[in-house]
Amino acid sequence: MSLHNSADGYGAMTKALHWLIVALFAFQFGAANIMLRMSEDGTVLGIGQSGYYNWHKSIGLVALIVAVARLRARRSGRLPDWAPTLSGRERAFIHRAEQVLYTAMFVMPVSGFLYVMAGGYGVNLFGVWELPNPIGSWPSLAIAAKWTHIASAYALVATLAGHLGIVLWHTLVLRDGLIRRMLPRRGGQAR
Ligand code: HEM
Ligand code: HEM
């Protein structure tokens, strides 16, 4: 399997980074739901609320670096041809959805970072390095960034539902093997 995207399929780099982002975003949504629901002095799985905030902020910044690598991987080589089993409407949706997904990969971490810095909460990266605050206290920016973070999370969930819906519909109902386009290649290309 080639490292880069080509006419006949996604490259190993795009595939690896796609699944890494899936894992990081799953963690982010899990940690956010726990930290926002638990009490300040409670613990979940032995970790306190500030621990979850720290992990959420740190992994979120790692996800930003992965998003940059992913965009570069998408731009190297050429995108594979559309899967022939996708209808015109599905292709139009996927095209828009990919724009939203890439935007979210950048807006989510950047808005989170701006919120905690402008709000004066800071980032203690993996509990070992207190990042310098390049913004300083800026309450109106903190509020705007917080609502951008929350609104983009909802937009991301709605778009992911469509993304996943198409993949599952094709893979489980139409049985055209669409999911294989994003899996390590074993014995040939999906139809
Ligand atoms: C890939 C990146 C990220 C994803 C997918 C993500 C996702 C989320 C989600 C789903 C929420 C809950 C929103 C709600 O209230 O419904 C949240 C909250 C939060 N996120 Fe992130 N996040 C990311 C990166 C970051 C980063 C990099 C930071 C800070 C450096 C951060 C700081 C926060 C904070 C402080 C909250 C709590 C906001 C509140 O008090 O309501 N996030 N995030
Ligand atoms: C379990 C969850 C997921 C599954 C099963 C899945 C599956 C797939 C599949 C099969 C493709 C190839 C579609 C094709 O070209 O025909 C794809 C592409 C893509 N997926 Fe996902 N995906 C998931 C989650 C995500 C998440 C969380 C994101 C981003 C936040 C994402 C972003 C993308 C993007 C942008 C593409 C286009 C190719 C690229 O530029 O990397 N996916 N996905």
Side-chain angles (χ1 to χ4, degrees):
M1 180 169 53
S2 146
L3 199 58
H4 300 294
N5 297 336
S6 66
D8 58 53
Y10 292 109
M13 190 79 88
T14 293
K15 291 178 182 178
L17 294 173
H18 176 272
W19 295 113
L20 182 56
I21 283 281
V22 172
L24 294 175
F25 273 45
F27 177 87
Q28 289 301 88
F29 276 92
N33 274 295
I34 294 172
M35 75 199 191
L36 291 172
R37 282 164 215 267
M38 70 191 290
S39 66
E40 218 173 294
D41 49 1
T43 60
V44 174
L45 301 171
I47 302 172
Q49 194 187 40
S50 65
Y52 279 101
Y53 269 98
N54 256 337
W55 278 103
H56 181 83
K57 295 176 194 177
S58 306
I59 296 290
L61 293 177
V62 170
L64 177 59
I65 296 167
V66 177
V68 173
R70 188 164 171 188
L71 193 58
R72 286 173 65 107
R74 183 178 167 100
R75 289 187 171 164
S76 69
R78 56 152 288 191
L79 279 177
D81 295 329
W82 287 106
T85 50
L86 291 171
S87 69
R89 281 174 62 189
E90 285 172 326
R91 290 176 192 197
F93 171 82
I94 290 170
H95 179 66
R96 284 272 169 257
E98 286 179 2
Q99 290 173 336
V100 175
L101 293 175
Y102 269 101
T103 305
M105 280 184 250
F106 289 92
V107 171
M108 289 301 311
V110 170
S111 59
F113 181 80
L114 291 178
Y115 167 45
V116 297
M117 288 307 187
Y121 307 105
V123 177
N124 190 358
L125 201 69
F126 294 109
V128 293
W129 181 26
E130 191 69 44
L131 295 187
N133 188 337
I135 299 165
S137 174
W138 189 347
S140 53
L141 175 64
I143 292 171
K146 175 177 170 175
W147 287 107
T148 304
H149 199 65
I150 294 173
S152 344
Y154 281 102
L156 176 60
V157 168
T159 311
L160 277 177
H163 180 64
L164 211 55
I166 288 186
V167 174
L168 292 180
W169 172 256
H170 276 266
T171 305
L172 300 178
V173 180
L174 304 181
R175 295 183 174 277
D176 58 9
L178 188 75
I179 186 91
R180 291 208 304 270
R181 285 167 59 88
M182 216 17 111
L183 295 178
R185 204 176 304 173
R186 282 186 229 105
Q189 182 63 25
R191 277 173 287 142

